[in-house]
């Protein structure tokens, strides 16, 4: 039997398991069940884009995903229609995926998903992304990573100092950040109706912590 | 006879007319001379990109041009080589071209050239760019436009309030911002060796002005 899908006014399908009321049944589900938890119709990127749309339309923050950098080689201009790119290649991004402004602060972050349960692999990052975040922090920007443990269905706003600590020490052996460490030093972001991922609550806590002496 | 071209250490050709010492001979050249002043080997965009590179490498600011937004339709994955985009279309950008962080401030701007001498046409802008800048200012971001009068070889950092004033009043008739008004209310940016366009000097003045009661 196909389940009927209800929709929010913004057209996003209503998914029971994402609402706060049903969250508990979720967290207690055993991990070895033969259920695929990830990608319930929406990727982390789509969820963040929707949240940013809400923040923008509500006048709360201006945060956008940057377009994918492309090297265009050949463009064709057909008569009476739009230009068509006929040959292009993906370029390595030199920065993170998201940036913007919130309450007078420059905001800069990456969003990453992992199917690992016990740690977050560092090979999700590139050296230039870490360099970029370090440079932004030097200019007093607020940098972090939104980490989604897909199997656990848990999303954390991980402060950059934790990432830098493990990244800078990765030559010594450890190639991932332990889940327990992330849980302890990051801000858990619970799914919400609108915005879907209210990650600016974590940013508020990060800002307050930075203000403290 | 072909003129010998000297190069800066960063590989950019040295162009006498751009240095401060030779600027005066430039300003006095009559406009009706049969000389093309624009595009002396480098567009405004290239000049700003070079300046941003200098600011980044010197640890002064982190400001990047955003990639061009593209709608990808078809990608082909040949064996043993990089993915090739075979069909894609240009999308309308929803924001401005440049953003970043400088001294704790969120920076957001557009860069525009005009061949007009006496005014800057408003059709250089799109409604969504103005909306974006207004939203950023509401979040205490620093917004402006780098305007280049190509014929005059003059570059101004134009504060957003001037743009908003003329944009909001454009229905009443006036479709451009008078040169004299820009000259009076903006910051003139003189060409320099490195950075080529030291526009952050104008940003400093803008920040100081905003701090004043």
């Amino acid at each position: 039997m196909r389940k009927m899908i209800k929709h929010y006014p913004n057209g996003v399908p209503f998914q029971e398991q994402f609402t706060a009321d049903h969250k508990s049944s979720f967290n207690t589900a055993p991990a070895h069940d033969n259920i695929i938890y990830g990608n319930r119709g929406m990727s982390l990127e789509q969820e963040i884009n929707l949240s940013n749309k809400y923040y923008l339309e509500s006048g709360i923050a201006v945060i956008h995903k940057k377009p994918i950098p492309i090297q265009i080689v050949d463009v064709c201009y057909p008569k009476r229609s739009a230009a068509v790119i006929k040959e292009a290649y993906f370029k390595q991004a030199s920065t993170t995926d998201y940036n913007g402004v919130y309450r007078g602060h420059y905001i800069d972050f990456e969003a990453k998903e992992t199917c690992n349960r016990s740690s977050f692999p560092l090979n999700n990052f590139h050296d230039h992304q870490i360099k970029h975040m370090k440079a932004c922090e030097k200019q007093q920007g607020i940098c972090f990573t939104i980490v989604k443990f897909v199997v656990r269905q848990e999303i954390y706003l991980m402060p950059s100092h934790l990432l830098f600590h493990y990244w800078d020490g990765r030559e010594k052996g450890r190639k991932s950040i332990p889940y327990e460490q992330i849980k302890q030093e990051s801000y858990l972001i619970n799914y919400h109706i609108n915005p879907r991922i209210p990650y600016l609550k974590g940013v508020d806590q990060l800002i307050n912590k930075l203000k403290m002496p």
Side-chain angles (χ1 to χ4, degrees), chain A:
Chain A
M1 196 189 95
R2 232 180 123 193
K3 205 174 137 194
M4 206 186 94
I5 298 169
K6 288 168 270 181
H7 283 80
Y8 290 127
N10 62 5
V12 175
F14 172 77
Q15 294 178 301
E16 271 188 75
Q17 60 273 29
F18 283 150
T19 62
D21 293 346
H22 295 75
K23 208 175 158 285
S24 56
S25 66
F26 216 4
N27 281 348
T28 53
H32 46 75
D33 270 8
N34 197 10
I35 300 166
I36 299 157
Y37 285 87
N39 202 9
R40 290 171 191 263
M42 214 183 271
S43 68
L44 178 62
E45 182 184 315
Q46 288 173 309
E47 292 174 331
I48 291 174
N49 289 349
L50 266 185
S51 307
N52 286 342
K53 192 167 177 276
Y54 171 82
Y55 284 137
L56 181 67
E57 286 168 1
S58 314
I60 296 168
V62 185
I63 296 164
H64 288 276
K65 186 178 188 295
K66 286 175 219 164
I68 300 163
I70 302 279
Q71 179 71 50
I72 297 168
V73 175
D74 184 27
V75 183
C76 139
Y77 300 89
K79 274 184 197 165
R80 275 185 288 251
S81 57
V84 189
I85 297 160
K86 299 299 283 179
E87 188 185 351
Y89 297 89
F90 294 101
K91 279 202 295 187
Q92 176 87 295
S94 53
T95 64
T96 47
D97 275 354
Y98 298 87
N99 77 355
V101 59
Y102 169 58
R103 285 176 47 203
H105 295 276
Y106 173 79
I107 304 295
D108 197 294
F109 65 97
E110 270 294 314
K112 306 276 190 189
E113 291 177 279
T114 182
C115 290
N116 274 31
R117 267 188 79 79
S118 59
S119 70
F120 189 76
L122 288 167
N123 61 13
N124 275 291
F125 292 92
H126 299 287
D127 197 44
H128 60 266
Q129 292 174 325
I130 310 286
K131 268 189 194 151
H132 171 75
M133 284 199 237
K134 284 182 177 176
C136 289
E137 289 215 334
K138 212 183 134 195
Q139 296 297 325
Q140 301 156 55
I142 308 286
C143 300
F144 53 88
T145 306
I146 296 180
V147 174
K148 181 173 178 178
F149 285 94
V150 176
V151 180
R152 295 177 183 270
Q153 282 290 311
E154 285 176 14
I155 296 180
Y156 290 95
L157 188 144
M158 177 172 74
S160 54
H161 72 83
L162 192 61
L163 173 62
F164 296 165
H165 174 78
Y166 278 90
W167 183 263
D168 295 340
R170 74 193 186 288
E171 300 304 330
K172 290 182 212 131
R174 172 120 218 160
K175 302 278 187 260
S176 63
I177 311 173
Y179 165 77
E180 286 302 329
Q181 193 91 37
I182 292 174
K183 191 175 175 178
Q184 207 176 311
E185 299 196 32
S186 305
Y187 306 101
L188 178 69
I189 313 295
N190 288 314
Y191 275 104
H192 195 76
I193 294 173
N194 227 346
R196 200 167 169 85
I197 302 180
Y199 69 89
L200 288 181
K201 283 185 189 174
V203 173
D204 285 335
Q205 289 179 271
L206 210 55
I207 292 169
N208 288 342
K209 211 173 167 185
L210 288 171
K211 274 184 189 158
M212 283 194 298

